[in-house]
Amino acid sequence: MAVTLDNIQVELSQTSKINDVDFSNLSFGRVFSDHMFVCDFEDGAWQTPKIMPYQALSLEPSAKIFHYGQSIFEGMKAYRDSENNVFLFRPTDNIKRMNISAKRLAMPEIPEAYFMEGLKELLKIEKDWIPTTEGSALYVRPFMFATGEGFHASPADSYKFIIACAPSGPYFSGKVKVLIEEHYSRSANGGVGFAKAGGNYAGQFYPTQLAKEKGYQQVIWTDDNTHEYIEEAGAMNIFARINDTLLTVPTSDRILDGITRKSILTIAEAEGIKTEVRKIKVAELVEASENGSLKELFGAGTAAVISPISGFGFKGKDYELPVLENTYGALLKKRVTDIQTNQSSDLFGWRIKVC
Ligand code: PLP
Ligand code: COI
């Protein structure tokens, strides 16, 4: 079924919470806008999509989300420029990835039109919730989970797809020092690391707590087999600059195919920065840090855009990154956010105008 404005049921909130929000001092993902988009999958089909006031949900204790963790999500941002135009960045890639995740978790795929038209209609209603201050955006969280009931360990027969929004500021505040993980793994070959499955993040919390107790903010995940190769930086893809080459690791079963990652690679190449996509050994980072050729390390993802890493810990030793004036990280962050917020031309056709 083609989804158009006509067949999305819209129930507007009688009151707005917008005046309670301090838009000049936003943290990440802590306040939620007035409305959400909701669509249920029942009897083998997606039902009438709705936009309704943001509200609590009612679920049976036997809903399979609680027992078997069928839950996936996406992370996107909506931007508003000085003329009140609203934009999304490469949204089709998020839709495709959501459906890659859905397939892996044995969940129904969401038709592109439901996702895209639902999101656009929601953003038109929530336009005033999109922050315009530098470093802020409306974080958009599409997610789907199993509402179908039963203790039998098998896929549910009903699901809920929701898009909720949170006006958000920066994901990290201050320096990010990371610990290179030598024992725990985020993902494994044949597993679900390439999907945005909720459980992937739950599995990261405990090792990250341990790292925090040692004074680090994030974990650098290494391969589950040997722990010799770096894979991701917390919930971000990882980049390293060695001399003047920008390196990142290839995506795989274990690594999320990040939209920021691939945008950065394209922009870097257009800027004349030499890039290499290849496996990176922890030993190579340690050696490059010791001989001074490791200039930068940063994480890349929608929430944080680019998050510079100030140093890393490995086998009980700390390695500091140099403090440079002109970093690739800062340049690439500016280039990507200028495209996202309509402050530069969109050479690659990534910016989609919503309204
Ligand atoms: N890696 C993981 C595990 C993530 O959760 C994310 C966040 O979405 C990313 C990488 C970055 O992906 P993207 O740039 O598409 O947000
Ligand atoms: C994002 O970068 O959008 C993510 O989804 C990471 C998330 C865990 C905040």
Side-chain angles (χ1 to χ4, degrees), residues 97 186 196 201 232 235-237 256 258-260 300-302:
R97 194 170 62 189
R186 193 192 84 87
K196 277 185 83 78
Y201 300 80
E232 297 218 53
M236 294 178 288
N237 293 114
L256 196 84
I259 296 161
T260 317
T302 299

Side-chain angles (χ1 to χ4, degrees), residues 158-176:
S158 56
Y159 296 85
K160 205 177 259 302
F161 172 70
I162 298 182
I163 306 178
C165 303
S168 293
Y171 194 75
F172 292 107
S173 52
K175 285 188 172 178
V176 180

Side-chain angles (χ1 to χ4, degrees), residues 17 37 56 60 105 168 290 321 339 352:
K17 298 168 292 187
F37 174 84
E60 290 292 329
L105 276 284
S168 293
E290 283 172 345
L321 270 290
I339 296 175
I352 304 292

